[in-house]
Amino acid sequence: MPEAVVITRAGQRLVVPFTPGTSLMQAITEGGVDEVLALCGGVCACATCHVHVDPAHVGRLGPVSEDEDGLLSGSQHRRDQSRLSCQIRLTAEMDGLQVTVAPEDA
Ligand code: FES
């Protein structure tokens, strides 16, 4: 099974397995990372699933949609490699994808 690497806010490195076709947010929450609240359930409406993608892996992902971009714009922790993990549909080719949970917005 492919896996993603998640760095928590405290710097802990966790490896979470995923089924291709699911979202990165699902893989993270089902992998036991409770820092990703995913309050809207994955419909791109809350930004509590914000992650920073490892710069070396950004090119493996699809483009940011207008809705995702709008939500990320409201985050004080937005970076070039920011993504909403619920908007990343995982494929087998994304095995090894590494992300860091973004700090919580105040
Ligand atoms: S879970 Fe709400 S925007 Fe991703």
Side-chain angles (χ1 to χ4, degrees):
M1 188 178 261
E3 298 170 330
V5 177
V6 182
I7 311 297
T8 68
R9 291 179 183 134
Q12 187 181 6
R13 185 181 187 277
L14 301 171
V15 176
V16 298
F18 66 80
T19 303
T22 60
S23 74
L24 177 60
M25 177 276 280
Q26 284 176 281
I28 292 173
T29 55
E30 289 169 9
V33 182
D34 58 7
E35 293 175 340
V36 170
L37 300 178
L39 292 177
C40 77
V43 297
C44 197
C46 73
T48 60
C49 65
H50 184 180
V51 296
H52 296 148
V53 179
D54 185 294
H57 296 200
V58 170
R60 303 169 73 183
L61 306 178
V64 178
S65 72
E66 201 172 310
D67 286 348
E68 182 180 358
D69 186 54
L71 272 176
L72 285 170
S73 294
S75 171
Q76 61 205 29
H77 302 291
R78 183 171 194 175
R79 295 185 190 163
D80 288 346
Q81 63 272 33
S82 283
R83 294 297 303 260
L84 297 179
S85 57
C86 71
Q87 298 304 298
I88 297 175
R89 191 63 50 192
L90 294 165
T91 66
E93 292 70 33
M94 291 180 187
D95 185 32
L97 178 70
Q98 181 169 310
V99 301
T100 300
V101 179
E104 198 168 10
D105 284 311

